Amino acid sequence: MANETNSPSMTNGFHLVVDALKLNGLDTIYGVAGIPVTDLARLAQAKGIRYIGFQHEQSAGNAAAIAGYLTQKPGICLTVSAPGFLNAMVALANATTNGFPMIQISGSSDRAIVDLQQGDYEELDQMNAAKPYARAAYRVNRPEDIGIGLARAIRAAVSGRPGGVYLDLPASVLGATLDAETGARSLVRVVDPTPRQLPAPESVRRALEVLAKAERPLIILGKGAAYAQADADIRAFVEETGIPFLPMSMAKGLLPDDHPQSTAAARSYALAQADVVMLIGARLNWLLGHGKSPQWSPTAQFVQLDIAPTEMDSNRAIAAPVVGDIASSVSALRAMLTPGQIRPRSAWRDELAQRKQHNIERMATHLAANPDPMDFYSALGAIKGVLADQPEVYLVNEGANTLDIARNVIDMRMPRKRLDSGTWGVMGIGMGYAIGAAVASGKPVVAIEGDSAFGFNGMEIETICRYHLPIVTVVFNNGGIYRGDDVNRSGGADPGPTVLMKQARYEMLIEAFGGVGYCAVDPHGLAKALTDALASGKPALLNCAIDPTAGTESGHIGNLNPQSSVAQKN
Ligand code: ADP
Ligand code: TZD
Ligand code: MG
């Protein structure tokens, strides 16, 4: 191996990278091998780091990011120069956008040639290309700086608002030798990488005062709250104050969806009527209508718990900002809270309960209908039934209708089990997230994928089979993006822009790699196939026939399409 040093008293860049990762408890690498990092992957594996090799760097990056979200340790993604590096850049940017800690370590070509643009193999100024998409981007130019470079990358990934960090390792640094003692001394074990950030006591007091005046308070739990792993304290605060809560999609399960204080089933009413809203690790971005009317009351006051001070007043004035880490902030709130200080009006709780009941009944009617072919509700109702008894299963979810309807239909009962398209509404995360979750947790995963969403990184089915991961991929095959019944409106022979192959035999893809394929055409068959697949613990893919006319354009966010007199809707 190229990573072998000539003498036992010498070390080199490859060894130093692996030693630095191990020293910091980073025990898994998600990547794609090639020049100049192949031997880095081999050496890592030889020295006890788990290496998961992917088909495409984007999935490797997504796996690293979600592993970071689940473990609070930066997930490590390893890429080759230029194109491999760029392939992972969507995942790195997505991690930064969502606040998932990851480090993309990439090999790079000869600096002298790259900087003069003399045409090296896989030439690209990677560090500068990464900067706009990363929380931080660093390059290590000397082997003795590998330890400090990784330390800086770790801190940047997990302290404050977590995010994606880029670490550039030129081939020359990986191959460079150093005497072993100097090398060992250069390594850094990061002490307390995620230091607690205590909120100012006066900000805690102010927040409680604002909440105490509320008649119709509402707590919104975001994925920052889920990430913080302060589950017991958050639940205690919600229950002690009696404030109704609404989970953002990846915060579902932080408190169980069937908790009596959950207002998920009365979402729009709760947003519109609340007079004081407490955001815990959730941003007032597009997913919350930027906090503006008509979705929200124009007079509502906001309390916000966030680690990022600049998040305050980002979209709407925040009456009581509490800047700190959520675990510390919630615990400080509980410590200062006096019994009976916060009392939502009972009429508020009754109104919400009534709306909730109404909407739950409406949903039950949808779920009970048994149309042929299946629509999204009947298929998801079957999956909901199977997963109800298995709350430990991770649920990965992407698509448009497949995403929006599954989020509403499938209850979560444990924290951090729902992983989805998140802040960007990005497609192509499903396979990487499923693999990252399965590898990081050892637990089973069900990935509910729109047929379009699945296609972005569907080849990772091979990765799932190669590593024997307990992942069941359910493809909601409605023959297209949003719907499968659109036509070429010019009358030409090509299919319309949103059309995919309805007759596609997705289940055969996994059979090519030794996994088990199933077809489901009714809820009963779907429930049985999913139950069997989960019980087997083996990689499986369910091709699930969904009515091509059942979906709506862009799912629940069709209003975001620009209005056009040319494009005619169905
Ligand atoms: P959602 O999409 O669920 O609404 P967002 O990703 O928009 O959630 O918001 C998460 C917020 O949580 C971010 O503003 C981030 O800064 C914050 N955050 C993440 N981790 C922590 C933490 N440990 N403590 C405090 N705030 C955090
Ligand atoms: N590319 C990327 C990376 N992200 C995107 N969000 C899109 C394209 C646009 N897009 C959506 O917003 S949803 C979607 C695309 C292509 C696919 C929807 O089709 P689906 O789901 O089959 O996955 P449904 O159930 O048919 O709606
Ligand atoms: Mg589809």
Side-chain angles (χ1 to χ4, degrees), residues 479-481 483-488 495-502:
I481 298 177
R483 296 167 68 98
D485 62 343
D486 203 5
V487 293
N488 181 337
T498 61
V499 171
L500 294 169
M501 288 175 74
K502 174 74 188 120

Side-chain angles (χ1 to χ4, degrees), residues 96-112:
T96 305
T97 303
N98 281 280
F100 301 155
M102 72 173 276
I103 301 171
Q104 180 183 346
I105 298 178
S106 188
S108 61
S109 303
D110 189 306
R111 291 257 20 106

Side-chain angles (χ1 to χ4, degrees), residues 58 90 376 398-403 424-428 449-454 456 476 478 480-483 500 551-552 554-555 557:
Q58 188 180 107
V90 173
F376 290 94
E398 60 175 334
N401 296 279
T402 302
L403 175 78
W424 258 354
V426 65
M427 298 298 113
E449 303 271 310
D451 49 350
S452 165
F454 171 70
F456 284 76
F476 270 26
N478 66 343
I481 298 177
Y482 316 137
R483 296 167 68 98
L500 294 169
T552 52
S554 306
I557 52 172

